[in-house]
Amino acid sequence: MADRKAETNATSGQPQKAIMDFDPPKKPKTNKYALACALLASMTSVLLGYDIGVMSGAMIYIKDDLKISDVQIEILAGILNLYSLIGSFAAGRTSDWIGRRYTIVVSQVIFFAGAGLMGFATNYAFLMVGRFVAGVGVGYALMIAPVYTAEVSPASIRGFLTSFPEVFINSGILLGYVSNYVFSKLPVHLGWRIMLGVGAVPSVILGIAVLWMPESPRWLVMQGRLGDAKTVLDKTSDTKEEAQIRLADIKEAAGIPEDCTDDIVKVSKRSHGEDVWKELLLHPTPAVRHVLIACLGIHFFQQCSGIDSVVLYSPRIFEKAGITSSSKKLLATVAVGFVKTVSILTATFLLDKIGRRPLLLSSVTGMMISLAALASGLMVIDHSDRTLTWALVLCIIMLLAFVASFSIGMGPITWVYSSEIFPLRLRAQGTSLGVAVNRLTSGVISMSFISLYKGITIGGTFFLYAGLALLSWVFFYFMLPETRGRTLEDMGMLFGNFKWNFPKNKKNIKEVSSGDGNSN
């Protein structure tokens, strides 16, 4: 019987298929080379996380040592986000000019200089100069890490790999909190300087290690280096067939004929980034306009949730809730960083299984509930003249629930989604616009928190954040289609008509997207 299964069917002339031929295709193994590249590129994001986390504790001691006001503290804490706008805008053009990999190296060099200046600061003005330099470096790293990771990742695990920058931001925040606790035992004038200056060490290591990585295959194609791009794609794809398909799609998006097989070809000047801003802002197609709105919207609402206020001012929030001991406030802040990191690690395994939309909407729902409950607890405490243990416990639990809800969806998906939806030629500049909105919103939120809670109470502030989270849920529901399983080159078909069907599985049909975001 077994021999007969392999014989040709006499009536149909077709070979009979064994039972195993009807089994579902096996899930490809995780590409270790692509994983290593994504890890290394994403590690650069740890610098932003560390800077945010360490400043939450360091500013307690900076205020005592430099004798500065709450307004100056607000500016010091949030101004890095505004400075990073310069880096995020410059990184888009720089990455099209010198490549994604060397742009990551530039970000590390700039941050190293900024961390050194902050560590040796002798006064507030000197500290602000260091903050400016570090902010530019952060802007570079924030923009380029998710772009590089998205461009090097196979579609099967792109969500998993592109969430790594957020993983390392959270890891950096936790390291910053731990640094606060460890160096808080030193003399005041020395402790905060070491907290800030020690961030220069990992930038040196990462800047050297990044040189080991290959260049992005999409950037190589944009430069006409098809041979080099094919080599990288062969290493970062699940199969040789997938590598060929990815190369063909990228060539089409870059305007290179499909039958062109030369290792080096001449490309038009438009492939080097010229006229991109006109296509993005002045004369966008409906699909590009929709992509841009989705990108800017998700970055805006991510920061409007108040996450940076919680990360930067956790010690103050715990003080308002009733914790008075400095060491206990710092320990509770470490717990925030731990929960945030564990949650983001959980999210990385769900992005490519559940999808972007369900995870994002569930995350925002959890954020709304926890923010409203936290606001209620803080309001009760604020109107009470004695310690309320139950309200304190409620505030701590809800604060942890908020950061967990944020990190399991809103945090990583913002970076994943915005880095994968732009057409190839618009990706670097489009992503830099999203990062700019992210940092601008974060700067406004973090620089207004103290003044805001003094004006409308701390409970009222978190009720405001809860209302903004509700608005974000509505925006995401109507504006963001599902992108799970799509290649970067066929994203254009999802955007532009506002009448999407959200398929659970990608159809096995070849869909071609043009370089400007339209699909044929």
Side-chain angles (χ1 to χ4, degrees), residues 295-323:
C295 174
L296 300 185
I298 196 171
H299 275 287
F300 173 77
F301 282 115
Q302 185 201 48
Q303 292 304 323
C304 275
S305 66
I307 186 63
D308 274 5
S309 293
V310 170
V311 171
L312 277 169
Y313 298 104
S314 287
R316 285 191 180 233
I317 296 170
F318 286 125
E319 182 179 351
K320 288 289 183 180
I323 301 176

PDB file of all heavy atoms in Angstrom, residues 295-323:
ATOM      1  N   CYS A 295       0.287  57.594  11.869  1.00  0.00           N
ATOM      2  CA  CYS A 295       1.582  57.650  12.548  1.00  0.00           C
ATOM      3  C   CYS A 295       1.636  58.777  13.578  1.00  0.00           C
ATOM      4  O   CYS A 295       2.002  58.555  14.741  1.00  0.00           O
ATOM      5  CB  CYS A 295       2.698  57.827  11.516  1.00  0.00           C
ATOM      6  SG  CYS A 295       4.337  58.084  12.230  1.00  0.00           S
ATOM      7  N   LEU A 296       1.256  59.984  13.163  1.00  0.00           N
ATOM      8  CA  LEU A 296       1.302  61.120  14.086  1.00  0.00           C
ATOM      9  C   LEU A 296       0.307  60.942  15.226  1.00  0.00           C
ATOM     10  O   LEU A 296       0.597  61.286  16.385  1.00  0.00           O
ATOM     11  CB  LEU A 296       1.006  62.420  13.334  1.00  0.00           C
ATOM     12  CG  LEU A 296       1.956  62.785  12.188  1.00  0.00           C
ATOM     13  CD1 LEU A 296       1.612  64.160  11.625  1.00  0.00           C
ATOM     14  CD2 LEU A 296       3.407  62.749  12.637  1.00  0.00           C
ATOM     15  N   GLY A 297      -0.858  60.373  14.920  1.00  0.00           N
ATOM     16  CA  GLY A 297      -1.880  60.180  15.946  1.00  0.00           C
ATOM     17  C   GLY A 297      -1.467  59.199  17.017  1.00  0.00           C
ATOM     18  O   GLY A 297      -1.646  59.451  18.213  1.00  0.00           O
ATOM     19  N   ILE A 298      -0.882  58.073  16.614  1.00  0.00           N
ATOM     20  CA  ILE A 298      -0.513  57.063  17.607  1.00  0.00           C
ATOM     21  C   ILE A 298       0.626  57.567  18.493  1.00  0.00           C
ATOM     22  O   ILE A 298       0.670  57.289  19.696  1.00  0.00           O
ATOM     23  CB  ILE A 298      -0.163  55.716  16.920  1.00  0.00           C
ATOM     24  CG1 ILE A 298      -0.167  54.584  17.956  1.00  0.00           C
ATOM     25  CG2 ILE A 298       1.168  55.775  16.197  1.00  0.00           C
ATOM     26  CD1 ILE A 298      -0.061  53.201  17.351  1.00  0.00           C
ATOM     27  N   HIS A 299       1.549  58.339  17.913  1.00  0.00           N
ATOM     28  CA  HIS A 299       2.632  58.909  18.728  1.00  0.00           C
ATOM     29  C   HIS A 299       2.099  59.987  19.680  1.00  0.00           C
ATOM     30  O   HIS A 299       2.531  60.072  20.843  1.00  0.00           O
ATOM     31  CB  HIS A 299       3.711  59.499  17.823  1.00  0.00           C
ATOM     32  CG  HIS A 299       4.708  58.500  17.346  1.00  0.00           C
ATOM     33  ND1 HIS A 299       5.671  57.962  18.159  1.00  0.00           N
ATOM     34  CD2 HIS A 299       4.881  57.910  16.127  1.00  0.00           C
ATOM     35  CE1 HIS A 299       6.415  57.106  17.471  1.00  0.00           C
ATOM     36  NE2 HIS A 299       5.945  57.052  16.240  1.00  0.00           N
ATOM     37  N   PHE A 300       1.167  60.808  19.201  1.00  0.00           N
ATOM     38  CA  PHE A 300       0.597  61.860  20.044  1.00  0.00           C
ATOM     39  C   PHE A 300      -0.145  61.266  21.234  1.00  0.00           C
ATOM     40  O   PHE A 300       0.072  61.652  22.388  1.00  0.00           O
ATOM     41  CB  PHE A 300      -0.345  62.725  19.205  1.00  0.00           C
ATOM     42  CG  PHE A 300      -1.126  63.730  19.991  1.00  0.00           C
ATOM     43  CD1 PHE A 300      -0.536  64.900  20.440  1.00  0.00           C
ATOM     44  CD2 PHE A 300      -2.468  63.509  20.296  1.00  0.00           C
ATOM     45  CE1 PHE A 300      -1.257  65.836  21.176  1.00  0.00           C
ATOM     46  CE2 PHE A 300      -3.192  64.437  21.024  1.00  0.00           C
ATOM     47  CZ  PHE A 300      -2.589  65.603  21.464  1.00  0.00           C
ATOM     48  N   PHE A 301      -1.023  60.301  20.969  1.00  0.00           N
ATOM     49  CA  PHE A 301      -1.831  59.741  22.045  1.00  0.00           C
ATOM     50  C   PHE A 301      -1.017  58.858  22.990  1.00  0.00           C
ATOM     51  O   PHE A 301      -1.385  58.710  24.155  1.00  0.00           O
ATOM     52  CB  PHE A 301      -3.010  58.960  21.464  1.00  0.00           C
ATOM     53  CG  PHE A 301      -4.129  59.836  20.987  1.00  0.00           C
ATOM     54  CD1 PHE A 301      -4.475  59.887  19.636  1.00  0.00           C
ATOM     55  CD2 PHE A 301      -4.827  60.643  21.877  1.00  0.00           C
ATOM     56  CE1 PHE A 301      -5.507  60.701  19.195  1.00  0.00           C
ATOM     57  CE2 PHE A 301      -5.863  61.464  21.442  1.00  0.00           C
ATOM     58  CZ  PHE A 301      -6.193  61.497  20.103  1.00  0.00           C
ATOM     59  N   GLN A 302       0.081  58.278  22.495  1.00  0.00           N
ATOM     60  CA  GLN A 302       0.922  57.503  23.411  1.00  0.00           C
ATOM     61  C   GLN A 302       1.421  58.378  24.560  1.00  0.00           C
ATOM     62  O   GLN A 302       1.389  57.976  25.724  1.00  0.00           O
ATOM     63  CB  GLN A 302       2.128  56.904  22.671  1.00  0.00           C
ATOM     64  CG  GLN A 302       2.974  55.985  23.563  1.00  0.00           C
ATOM     65  CD  GLN A 302       4.394  55.796  23.068  1.00  0.00           C
ATOM     66  OE1 GLN A 302       5.080  56.765  22.735  1.00  0.00           O
ATOM     67  NE2 GLN A 302       4.850  54.559  23.016  1.00  0.00           N
ATOM     68  N   GLN A 303       1.866  59.578  24.245  1.00  0.00           N
ATOM     69  CA  GLN A 303       2.419  60.446  25.281  1.00  0.00           C
ATOM     70  C   GLN A 303       1.341  61.222  26.035  1.00  0.00           C
ATOM     71  O   GLN A 303       1.537  61.601  27.189  1.00  0.00           O
ATOM     72  CB  GLN A 303       3.424  61.410  24.655  1.00  0.00           C
ATOM     73  CG  GLN A 303       4.676  60.731  24.144  1.00  0.00           C
ATOM     74  CD  GLN A 303       5.388  59.932  25.214  1.00  0.00           C
ATOM     75  OE1 GLN A 303       5.453  60.327  26.376  1.00  0.00           O
ATOM     76  NE2 GLN A 303       5.915  58.778  24.829  1.00  0.00           N
ATOM     77  N   CYS A 304       0.180  61.457  25.405  1.00  0.00           N
ATOM     78  CA  CYS A 304      -0.912  62.139  26.102  1.00  0.00           C
ATOM     79  C   CYS A 304      -1.468  61.300  27.246  1.00  0.00           C
ATOM     80  O   CYS A 304      -2.194  61.817  28.099  1.00  0.00           O
ATOM     81  CB  CYS A 304      -2.046  62.458  25.128  1.00  0.00           C
ATOM     82  SG  CYS A 304      -1.801  64.002  24.245  1.00  0.00           S
ATOM     83  N   SER A 305      -1.153  60.015  27.263  1.00  0.00           N
ATOM     84  CA  SER A 305      -1.628  59.154  28.347  1.00  0.00           C
ATOM     85  C   SER A 305      -0.993  59.512  29.687  1.00  0.00           C
ATOM     86  O   SER A 305      -1.452  59.077  30.736  1.00  0.00           O
ATOM     87  CB  SER A 305      -1.313  57.694  28.018  1.00  0.00           C
ATOM     88  OG  SER A 305       0.098  57.481  27.999  1.00  0.00           O
ATOM     89  N   GLY A 306       0.089  60.308  29.650  1.00  0.00           N
ATOM     90  CA  GLY A 306       0.752  60.706  30.892  1.00  0.00           C
ATOM     91  C   GLY A 306       1.808  59.738  31.365  1.00  0.00           C
ATOM     92  O   GLY A 306       2.273  59.832  32.501  1.00  0.00           O
ATOM     93  N   ILE A 307       2.256  58.825  30.487  1.00  0.00           N
ATOM     94  CA  ILE A 307       3.219  57.814  30.923  1.00  0.00           C
ATOM     95  C   ILE A 307       4.529  58.438  31.382  1.00  0.00           C
ATOM     96  O   ILE A 307       5.126  58.001  32.373  1.00  0.00           O
ATOM     97  CB  ILE A 307       3.468  56.786  29.790  1.00  0.00           C
ATOM     98  CG1 ILE A 307       4.348  55.642  30.293  1.00  0.00           C
ATOM     99  CG2 ILE A 307       4.062  57.457  28.561  1.00  0.00           C
ATOM    100  CD1 ILE A 307       3.752  54.828  31.404  1.00  0.00           C
ATOM    101  N   ASP A 308       5.002  59.484  30.695  1.00  0.00           N
ATOM    102  CA  ASP A 308       6.268  60.091  31.106  1.00  0.00           C
ATOM    103  C   ASP A 308       6.127  60.859  32.418  1.00  0.00           C
ATOM    104  O   ASP A 308       7.100  60.985  33.175  1.00  0.00           O
ATOM    105  CB  ASP A 308       6.792  61.016  30.010  1.00  0.00           C
ATOM    106  CG  ASP A 308       7.602  60.245  28.974  1.00  0.00           C
ATOM    107  OD1 ASP A 308       7.654  59.006  29.070  1.00  0.00           O
ATOM    108  OD2 ASP A 308       8.180  60.883  28.066  1.00  0.00           O
ATOM    109  N   SER A 309       4.936  61.363  32.700  1.00  0.00           N
ATOM    110  CA  SER A 309       4.710  61.994  34.002  1.00  0.00           C
ATOM    111  C   SER A 309       4.854  60.965  35.115  1.00  0.00           C
ATOM    112  O   SER A 309       5.454  61.242  36.165  1.00  0.00           O
ATOM    113  CB  SER A 309       3.314  62.620  34.050  1.00  0.00           C
ATOM    114  OG  SER A 309       3.208  63.700  33.158  1.00  0.00           O
ATOM    115  N   VAL A 310       4.308  59.780  34.878  1.00  0.00           N
ATOM    116  CA  VAL A 310       4.408  58.712  35.877  1.00  0.00           C
ATOM    117  C   VAL A 310       5.851  58.261  36.038  1.00  0.00           C
ATOM    118  O   VAL A 310       6.346  58.086  37.156  1.00  0.00           O
ATOM    119  CB  VAL A 310       3.511  57.523  35.480  1.00  0.00           C
ATOM    120  CG1 VAL A 310       3.784  56.304  36.358  1.00  0.00           C
ATOM    121  CG2 VAL A 310       2.038  57.909  35.579  1.00  0.00           C
ATOM    122  N   VAL A 311       6.551  58.071  34.914  1.00  0.00           N
ATOM    123  CA  VAL A 311       7.935  57.590  34.970  1.00  0.00           C
ATOM    124  C   VAL A 311       8.851  58.623  35.625  1.00  0.00           C
ATOM    125  O   VAL A 311       9.707  58.281  36.451  1.00  0.00           O
ATOM    126  CB  VAL A 311       8.427  57.250  33.552  1.00  0.00           C
ATOM    127  CG1 VAL A 311       9.924  56.957  33.557  1.00  0.00           C
ATOM    128  CG2 VAL A 311       7.666  56.046  33.010  1.00  0.00           C
ATOM    129  N   LEU A 312       8.697  59.893  35.261  1.00  0.00           N
ATOM    130  CA  LEU A 312       9.577  60.937  35.779  1.00  0.00           C
ATOM    131  C   LEU A 312       9.251  61.341  37.216  1.00  0.00           C
ATOM    132  O   LEU A 312      10.148  61.680  37.996  1.00  0.00           O
ATOM    133  CB  LEU A 312       9.490  62.176  34.886  1.00  0.00           C
ATOM    134  CG  LEU A 312      10.357  62.184  33.623  1.00  0.00           C
ATOM    135  CD1 LEU A 312       9.963  63.344  32.724  1.00  0.00           C
ATOM    136  CD2 LEU A 312      11.837  62.275  33.975  1.00  0.00           C
ATOM    137  N   TYR A 313       7.963  61.324  37.554  1.00  0.00           N
ATOM    138  CA  TYR A 313       7.564  61.884  38.845  1.00  0.00           C
ATOM    139  C   TYR A 313       6.980  60.829  39.792  1.00  0.00           C
ATOM    140  O   TYR A 313       6.217  61.166  40.694  1.00  0.00           O
ATOM    141  CB  TYR A 313       6.547  63.007  38.626  1.00  0.00           C
ATOM    142  CG  TYR A 313       7.090  64.159  37.823  1.00  0.00           C
ATOM    143  CD1 TYR A 313       6.732  64.321  36.482  1.00  0.00           C
ATOM    144  CD2 TYR A 313       7.973  65.085  38.374  1.00  0.00           C
ATOM    145  CE1 TYR A 313       7.221  65.370  35.726  1.00  0.00           C
ATOM    146  CE2 TYR A 313       8.472  66.140  37.622  1.00  0.00           C
ATOM    147  CZ  TYR A 313       8.095  66.280  36.300  1.00  0.00           C
ATOM    148  OH  TYR A 313       8.595  67.328  35.561  1.00  0.00           O
ATOM    149  N   SER A 314       7.345  59.558  39.599  1.00  0.00           N
ATOM    150  CA  SER A 314       6.855  58.505  40.496  1.00  0.00           C
ATOM    151  C   SER A 314       7.115  58.823  41.969  1.00  0.00           C
ATOM    152  O   SER A 314       6.220  58.643  42.807  1.00  0.00           O
ATOM    153  CB  SER A 314       7.487  57.160  40.123  1.00  0.00           C
ATOM    154  OG  SER A 314       6.933  56.659  38.942  1.00  0.00           O
ATOM    155  N   PRO A 315       8.325  59.279  42.333  1.00  0.00           N
ATOM    156  CA  PRO A 315       8.544  59.603  43.749  1.00  0.00           C
ATOM    157  C   PRO A 315       7.553  60.649  44.279  1.00  0.00           C
ATOM    158  O   PRO A 315       7.057  60.525  45.409  1.00  0.00           O
ATOM    159  CB  PRO A 315       9.980  60.142  43.779  1.00  0.00           C
ATOM    160  CG  PRO A 315      10.646  59.479  42.606  1.00  0.00           C
ATOM    161  CD  PRO A 315       9.580  59.419  41.555  1.00  0.00           C
ATOM    162  N   ARG A 316       7.231  61.659  43.482  1.00  0.00           N
ATOM    163  CA  ARG A 316       6.272  62.686  43.914  1.00  0.00           C
ATOM    164  C   ARG A 316       4.862  62.115  44.022  1.00  0.00           C
ATOM    165  O   ARG A 316       4.116  62.467  44.930  1.00  0.00           O
ATOM    166  CB  ARG A 316       6.272  63.867  42.943  1.00  0.00           C
ATOM    167  CG  ARG A 316       7.491  64.766  43.072  1.00  0.00           C
ATOM    168  CD  ARG A 316       7.296  66.050  42.290  1.00  0.00           C
ATOM    169  NE  ARG A 316       8.466  66.910  42.430  1.00  0.00           N
ATOM    170  CZ  ARG A 316       8.421  68.183  42.826  1.00  0.00           C
ATOM    171  NH1 ARG A 316       7.268  68.735  43.144  1.00  0.00           N
ATOM    172  NH2 ARG A 316       9.530  68.899  42.911  1.00  0.00           N
ATOM    173  N   ILE A 317       4.512  61.245  43.074  1.00  0.00           N
ATOM    174  CA  ILE A 317       3.172  60.644  43.116  1.00  0.00           C
ATOM    175  C   ILE A 317       3.029  59.769  44.359  1.00  0.00           C
ATOM    176  O   ILE A 317       2.000  59.814  45.053  1.00  0.00           O
ATOM    177  CB  ILE A 317       2.919  59.823  41.839  1.00  0.00           C
ATOM    178  CG1 ILE A 317       2.924  60.742  40.608  1.00  0.00           C
ATOM    179  CG2 ILE A 317       1.580  59.086  41.922  1.00  0.00           C
ATOM    180  CD1 ILE A 317       2.912  60.010  39.290  1.00  0.00           C
ATOM    181  N   PHE A 318       4.058  58.984  44.668  1.00  0.00           N
ATOM    182  CA  PHE A 318       4.008  58.155  45.866  1.00  0.00           C
ATOM    183  C   PHE A 318       3.982  59.012  47.140  1.00  0.00           C
ATOM    184  O   PHE A 318       3.351  58.651  48.129  1.00  0.00           O
ATOM    185  CB  PHE A 318       5.203  57.197  45.903  1.00  0.00           C
ATOM    186  CG  PHE A 318       5.094  56.057  44.934  1.00  0.00           C
ATOM    187  CD1 PHE A 318       6.097  55.809  44.010  1.00  0.00           C
ATOM    188  CD2 PHE A 318       3.978  55.231  44.931  1.00  0.00           C
ATOM    189  CE1 PHE A 318       6.000  54.766  43.106  1.00  0.00           C
ATOM    190  CE2 PHE A 318       3.863  54.183  44.028  1.00  0.00           C
ATOM    191  CZ  PHE A 318       4.879  53.948  43.118  1.00  0.00           C
ATOM    192  N   GLU A 319       4.657  60.158  47.083  1.00  0.00           N
ATOM    193  CA  GLU A 319       4.617  61.082  48.226  1.00  0.00           C
ATOM    194  C   GLU A 319       3.207  61.632  48.415  1.00  0.00           C
ATOM    195  O   GLU A 319       2.711  61.723  49.548  1.00  0.00           O
ATOM    196  CB  GLU A 319       5.607  62.227  47.987  1.00  0.00           C
ATOM    197  CG  GLU A 319       5.683  63.209  49.148  1.00  0.00           C
ATOM    198  CD  GLU A 319       6.682  64.321  48.897  1.00  0.00           C
ATOM    199  OE1 GLU A 319       7.434  64.246  47.910  1.00  0.00           O
ATOM    200  OE2 GLU A 319       6.693  65.284  49.694  1.00  0.00           O
ATOM    201  N   LYS A 320       2.539  61.980  47.321  1.00  0.00           N
ATOM    202  CA  LYS A 320       1.159  62.462  47.400  1.00  0.00           C
ATOM    203  C   LYS A 320       0.212  61.381  47.907  1.00  0.00           C
ATOM    204  O   LYS A 320      -0.801  61.670  48.559  1.00  0.00           O
ATOM    205  CB  LYS A 320       0.695  62.944  46.021  1.00  0.00           C
ATOM    206  CG  LYS A 320       1.330  64.243  45.566  1.00  0.00           C
ATOM    207  CD  LYS A 320       0.792  65.418  46.368  1.00  0.00           C
ATOM    208  CE  LYS A 320       1.351  66.727  45.870  1.00  0.00           C
ATOM    209  NZ  LYS A 320       0.817  67.887  46.660  1.00  0.00           N
ATOM    210  N   ALA A 321       0.563  60.113  47.611  1.00  0.00           N
ATOM    211  CA  ALA A 321      -0.278  59.006  48.056  1.00  0.00           C
ATOM    212  C   ALA A 321      -0.070  58.677  49.529  1.00  0.00           C
ATOM    213  O   ALA A 321      -0.890  57.966  50.123  1.00  0.00           O
ATOM    214  CB  ALA A 321       0.002  57.770  47.214  1.00  0.00           C
ATOM    215  N   GLY A 322       1.033  59.188  50.123  1.00  0.00           N
ATOM    216  CA  GLY A 322       1.230  58.969  51.548  1.00  0.00           C
ATOM    217  C   GLY A 322       2.553  58.360  51.951  1.00  0.00           C
ATOM    218  O   GLY A 322       2.793  58.124  53.140  1.00  0.00           O
ATOM    219  N   ILE A 323       3.454  58.078  51.021  1.00  0.00           N
ATOM    220  CA  ILE A 323       4.780  57.531  51.352  1.00  0.00           C
ATOM    221  C   ILE A 323       5.733  58.705  51.553  1.00  0.00           C
ATOM    222  O   ILE A 323       5.981  59.488  50.632  1.00  0.00           O
ATOM    223  CB  ILE A 323       5.294  56.601  50.234  1.00  0.00           C
ATOM    224  CG1 ILE A 323       4.327  55.437  50.013  1.00  0.00           C
ATOM    225  CG2 ILE A 323       6.681  56.067  50.554  1.00  0.00           C
ATOM    226  CD1 ILE A 323       4.710  54.520  48.869  1.00  0.00           C
TER     227      ILE A 323
END
